[in-house]
Structure formats: structure tokens, C-alpha cells
Amino acid sequence: VISTGLKELDEVIYGWLPGEELVTIVARLGQGKTWLLLWFAVAAWKQGKRVGIYSDEMSSTRIGYRVDTLIANFSNKDLLRGTIEDIEGYKQYLDTLEQKGNPIIVLSKKELKGRATVSQLKNFALTNNLDILCIDQYTLLEDERATRGASRAERLEHISSDLFDASIDLGIPIIVLSQA
């Protein structure tokens, strides 16, 4: 089991289970879904887990800055603006991260040159030997099984089903965000 990093939540759900665990977090725009997803990712990383994050909306750099904020309290605003005062401390922090054996690996739409499919995310998890996969916005994933004229509901049903199957096949929890 991988702790969520939230004691009260762990008491209820016992943490993330390896395999057969597809968790969807739904909220409106700007309510902190990505921050919560990254909280869970950092909590897993702190437990020595290999973490993968896919973002369709943000670059790897922006995701990295948010992770740095959660891990070491560097100001996300200062990182984004390039106005960080303790640049040497930040460089040392980054050097320390490189020495760790359990990376947080970020994949974005830019690296894929388009929207991800479940097969690509499954390959990402296998290639990087991930212990947990976090996906920002599953509603933006490409449905590999969609037929011409398929409804949005049908496409999302395929993606959800394929993600659950991927969790089982990979034996890892998959946490996804969805915008309400």
C-alpha cells in the first residue's frame, strides 16, 4: 500500500493499492486538483516509490516547479518568474534530487507531440518501472477504440475501462483528474 500522505484519508481508504486501483478526482476548474494530485505523487515519492506524472495541460518544467514547491517549499511563483532569491540553495536541492534512486518522471503532451493514449501511458509506466501513475486530465486523453461518430460519453467510458485494465496489468495504482 502507498500512503496518500493524508492521515485522515489513509484511515478511510488505507492508501493506494497496487493494481486494481483507478482513482478519479473530479472538481471544477481552479479548485486545486493538480496540486492534490501532485501532493499524492510527492507522498509516494517520499516513500521511495517511482512516480510517473502525465500532464496534458502543463509542461514538464511547470509540473517540476510545483513538485519542488511541495518537496522543499520553494516559491512556485518565484520559480515561474525566475525571481527565486536562493538560487544556490535551489541548485543544491536539484543536485540532491539527482542522487536519489526513485525519480519523479514527468511526461507531457509536448514530449509526445500530441495527446496521450492509454497504451502510451502504459508503455511509459513499463519503461520507467513505475510504482504509481498520476494523470492530469483523463478527459483529454485520446481514445484508441473510438469509432467515427462516437459520443464523448463512449470515448470516456473506453478510456476509463482501459485505464482500469492498465492498473491491473501493471499492478500499480493510477490516479487521474477530471474537470467537472
Side-chain angles (χ1 to χ4, degrees):
V1 174
I2 301 172
S3 170
T4 67
L6 300 171
K7 180 182 173 196
E8 296 84 358
L9 185 57
D10 283 344
E11 288 175 2
V12 175
I13 67 168
Y14 312 112
W16 311 124
L17 301 174
E20 297 184 38
E21 183 84 282
L22 175 63
V23 177
T24 304
I25 300 167
V26 181
R28 291 189 180 100
L29 180 68
Q31 299 300 304
K33 295 180 301 294
T34 302
W35 280 106
L36 184 60
L37 182 75
L38 296 178
W39 175 271
F40 295 146
V42 167
W45 176 81
K46 287 180 178 179
Q47 296 166 66
K49 304 302 180 187
R50 292 178 62 89
V51 177
I53 300 169
Y54 170 73
S55 177
D56 191 85
E57 296 183 320
M58 285 189 228
S59 68
S60 297
T61 300
R62 286 191 63 195
I63 292 291
Y65 288 161
R66 287 187 175 201
V67 167
D68 296 342
T69 298
L70 289 168
I71 292 174
N73 295 320
F74 288 103
S75 166
N76 187 59
K77 179 177 76 173
D78 288 342
L79 289 169
L80 282 169
R81 292 181 178 173
T83 58
I84 186 166
E85 291 181 24
D86 185 14
I87 193 70
E88 288 307 313
Y90 186 62
K91 287 178 181 177
Q92 287 177 337
Y93 157 77
L94 292 176
D95 288 342
T96 302
L97 282 183
E98 287 186 25
Q99 306 303 318
K100 299 231 181 247
N102 63 316
I104 295 177
I105 304 164
V106 181
L107 177 66
S108 74
K109 179 179 174 180
K110 183 179 179 181
E111 282 93 17
L112 290 176
K113 297 179 175 49
R115 291 190 168 165
T117 64
V118 173
S119 292
Q120 288 172 315
L121 294 175
K122 189 174 175 181
N123 186 53
F124 170 63
L126 284 168
T127 301
N128 293 289
N129 196 29
L130 299 180
D131 296 308
I132 186 169
L133 176 60
C134 301
I135 302 169
D136 192 352
Q137 293 297 356
Y138 96 101
T139 55
L140 299 176
L141 296 178
E142 195 69 39
D143 178 13
E144 299 169 275
R145 297 191 285 149
T147 57
R148 188 177 184 110
S151 70
R152 176 174 163 84
E154 185 178 3
R155 290 191 317 269
L156 294 177
E157 181 181 329
H158 289 161
I159 292 167
S160 295
S161 175
D162 293 346
L163 285 171
F164 183 73
D165 290 346
S167 174
I168 293 170
D169 293 345
L170 297 166
I172 64 171
I174 298 176
I175 305 170
V176 298
L177 301 182
S178 180
Q179 188 168 300

